[in-house]
Amino acid sequence: MIEVEQTEFADYTAVPVRRGNCLAACVASIFEVPLSRLEGVYDSQALWRWLEKHFPGVGMIARTYDESVPFGSRVPEGFTGKPGLTPWIAVVQSPRTPHAHCVVMVADRLEWDPHPQREDGVGPQLGDYVFTLDTPESLSF
């Protein structure tokens, strides 16, 4: 995994609304690709399309929780099917805005926060993104 910092920041008061690219920065970090390859990836639908095009053997599970939970308390199984061995993305409450933010986790540990003000920490966990190996024969690393 590499540490990719986000370059776009949400401003929901702007017209048109601007979205942050923390999700894209997390994906770029996990898949070790330049952030520029994830232009336009701001949500799960765009990420699905990106995965299908660039990593067709990789699937994704995106969950939103009914209620927020303490940060790091809900650990999904990862890419290998073995908990804690692979990075996953936690969707958390941003400490800077009333909106969600994405960070990279390994097991219950924060591995990388792509926001330049990462020292602010993160809020409760609102959901997650987990990558799965759906068709290993289609991957070429």
Side-chain angles (χ1 to χ4, degrees):
M1 192 193 91
I2 61 174
E3 294 177 348
V4 177
E5 197 165 89
Q6 73 182 88
T7 57
E8 299 172 18
F9 304 92
D11 183 351
Y12 290 89
T13 63
V15 178
V17 167
R18 287 194 316 257
R19 298 179 74 182
N21 65 348
C22 57
L23 174 60
C26 288
V27 174
S29 296
I30 292 170
F31 286 90
E32 299 186 354
V33 298
L35 183 57
S36 60
R37 283 189 57 191
L38 285 117
E39 186 175 337
V41 174
Y42 299 106
D43 55 35
S44 59
Q45 293 82 15
L47 181 51
W48 272 114
R49 290 188 298 273
W50 184 85
L51 284 170
E52 185 176 76
K53 180 178 180 181
H54 298 284
F55 290 93
V58 175
M60 176 183 71
I61 300 167
R63 298 185 303 180
T64 301
Y65 308 151
D66 292 335
E67 297 180 6
S68 64
V69 298
F71 178 68
S73 65
R74 189 169 289 174
V75 179
E77 291 188 357
F79 192 85
T80 62
K82 298 178 182 176
L85 294 182
T86 54
W88 57 279
I89 298 171
V91 180
V92 298
Q93 178 62 55
S94 170
R96 293 164 292 276
T97 72
H99 305 289
H101 177 58
C102 294
V103 296
V104 178
M105 303 286 290
V106 172
D108 61 352
R109 181 182 80 247
L110 175 64
E111 190 70 19
W112 174 242
D113 182 345
H115 197 282
Q117 295 174 332
R118 60 190 64 83
E119 68 277 355
D120 291 347
V122 298
Q125 199 170 322
L126 309 170
D128 56 59
Y129 290 88
V130 178
F131 300 101
T132 60
L133 194 53
D134 291 346
T135 54
E137 65 280 0
S138 67
L139 293 179
S140 58
F141 288 101

